[in-house]
Amino acid sequence: MIRVMLVDDQELVRAGFRMVLGAQPDIEVVAEAADGAAAVEALREIEADVVLMDVRMPRMDGVEATRIICATSPEARVLILTTFDLDEYAFAAIKAGASGFMLKDVLPTDLLSAIRSVHAGDAVVAPSTTRRLLERFAVHLPHEGDTSRDLDELTAREREVLLHVAQGLSNTEIAAQLHLAEATVKTHLGRVLAKLRLRDRAQAVVYAYETGLVVPHGGPR
């Protein structure tokens, strides 16, 4: 059973998600919160596997809540639900440890698939969403000179895989592009995450943009 917490300041939104999730035999809504502070407090009392997190809320927004939850409740995976005009905040939340983001108008089937993927340890960064949103908001990402996560630590093939991930390609598409087995792509990506000390695919995408490996318009630097 996947235990889910809903965090959104709009009760009607929470009710809609609760109805969709409650109809699933493998998902249980175990808690709800109207802001980030309440979510952090609730996780001290209950256990949740996946937290569906809004971004802009009173008292404590989703970015700060994500940062605290990922630091204090690492077993809980955060999935950001956002709208086009708030995606720069969603990227900040991914940097804070969120496992991905989706738009609030997501189809129920896609939301359920995302929850199950996050629970399984994957990151949810849909290729089409990645390409569209990173093009628009890459300019908002700060460039940090963190030499402990230097791109020079990567081999040429690992760097190539990271580039394709940042451009929004799936493992299957990367395998076809580089003429590799999909399992080999997964191995390379795992090494990239380990060397750069990144949590998952979502943070790898943001990292590639903030370091300038990929520039707006999707090309390599």
Side-chain angles (χ1 to χ4, degrees):
M1 185 67 70
I2 305 173
R3 298 164 297 183
V4 176
M5 172 187 277
L6 305 176
V7 186
D8 196 295
D9 61 333
Q10 297 184 37
E11 186 173 353
L12 188 60
V13 171
R14 297 200 309 272
F17 286 137
R18 189 191 319 121
M19 182 174 63
V20 171
L21 302 184
Q24 304 305 306
D26 61 333
I27 297 176
E28 178 185 9
V29 177
V30 296
E32 297 182 30
D35 58 61
V40 171
E41 185 65 28
L43 282 175
R44 294 173 182 166
E45 305 294 333
I46 60 98
E47 293 183 354
D49 302 307
V50 178
V51 179
L52 294 186
M53 181 76 72
D54 189 19
V55 177
R56 180 169 290 178
M57 296 177 289
R59 290 210 300 165
M60 181 186 292
D61 65 22
V63 174
E64 181 61 22
T66 296
R67 185 176 295 109
I68 295 173
I69 288 171
C70 291
T72 60
S73 303
E75 70 283 355
R77 308 278 288 182
V78 178
L79 176 59
I80 298 296
L81 294 173
T82 185
T83 54
F84 272 119
D85 60 335
L86 295 178
D87 286 314
E88 59 267 39
Y89 297 101
F91 290 137
I94 290 173
K95 289 183 65 180
S99 295
F101 63 86
M102 302 194 77
L103 301 180
K104 276 193 173 181
D105 61 357
V106 62
L107 293 174
T109 52
D110 291 337
L111 175 62
L112 295 170
S113 176
I115 290 172
R116 293 178 179 121
S117 293
V118 166
H119 180 251
D122 294 329
V124 179
V125 184
S128 60
T129 302
T130 300
R131 282 190 286 264
R132 185 171 62 249
L133 300 186
L134 285 180
E135 283 301 309
R136 179 170 179 179
F137 290 107
V139 295
H140 294 285
L141 297 173
H143 291 255
E144 299 174 355
D146 188 346
T147 56
S148 67
R149 300 190 303 170
D150 199 327
L151 283 170
D152 291 340
E153 296 180 24
L154 304 182
T155 66
R157 179 63 84 186
E158 290 165 353
R159 188 183 177 110
E160 197 171 17
V161 168
L162 176 58
L163 173 63
H164 285 307
V165 167
Q167 291 174 326
L169 274 66
S170 67
N171 287 349
T172 301
E173 291 170 330
I174 295 172
Q177 287 271 351
L178 301 181
H179 305 290
L180 298 172
E182 188 171 348
T184 303
V185 173
K186 291 180 179 178
T187 298
H188 284 309
L189 180 56
R191 289 172 180 164
V192 169
L193 299 179
K195 287 182 178 181
L196 301 181
R197 290 186 282 281
L198 299 170
R199 175 171 172 151
D200 51 33
R201 192 186 197 95
Q203 288 194 335
V205 172
V206 174
Y207 176 83
Y209 271 79
E210 73 176 8
T211 57
L213 176 64
V214 178
V215 297
H217 306 304
R221 67 180 180 181

